[in-house]
Amino acid sequence: MRIAVRIALAAGLALLIALRKHEGSAILVPLARAGCVLLWLVPLHALPILLDSLGWRALIARAKETPVGTLFWIACIREGINRLLPAASIG
């Protein structure tokens, strides 16, 4: 399993570098223009995901033993899948 994670990490970094070389500053200019305001999106998006995971914890009887951090991580993965594949909603 660890080798698959390392291969995926290397492939992701190679893709990021290739995208940066291909697109140049077309990616960085809008990010620089937005500035630190983009950092506000992280807690504003994490709060509903945290509340969602707390709701799942209240609904599932066995989830009461599961740490909130684990449920939050699962909710983040589910959210990522929903963003990548909008045809299939999970949860």
Side-chain angles (χ1 to χ4, degrees):
M1 181 68 177
R2 289 185 180 258
I3 221 144
V5 170
R6 290 182 184 188
I7 290 172
L9 178 65
L13 286 174
L15 183 64
L16 180 67
I17 291 169
L19 182 64
R20 170 70 172 101
K21 284 188 177 232
H22 183 265
E23 292 297 322
S25 64
I27 298 171
L28 298 176
V29 169
L31 289 176
R33 191 176 305 151
C36 293
V37 176
L38 283 178
L39 293 177
W40 282 101
L41 293 178
V42 174
L44 290 176
H45 189 67
L47 180 64
I49 294 174
L50 177 66
L51 293 175
D52 184 39
S53 59
L54 290 175
W56 277 106
R57 187 174 192 213
L59 287 175
I60 301 172
R62 287 184 35 182
K64 298 222 187 290
E65 299 113 22
T66 307
V68 176
T70 303
L71 292 173
F72 180 74
W73 180 251
I74 292 170
C76 287
I77 291 172
R78 186 192 68 228
E79 181 74 19
I81 291 172
N82 285 340
R83 296 286 180 185
L84 287 174
L85 307 170
S89 287
I90 298 173

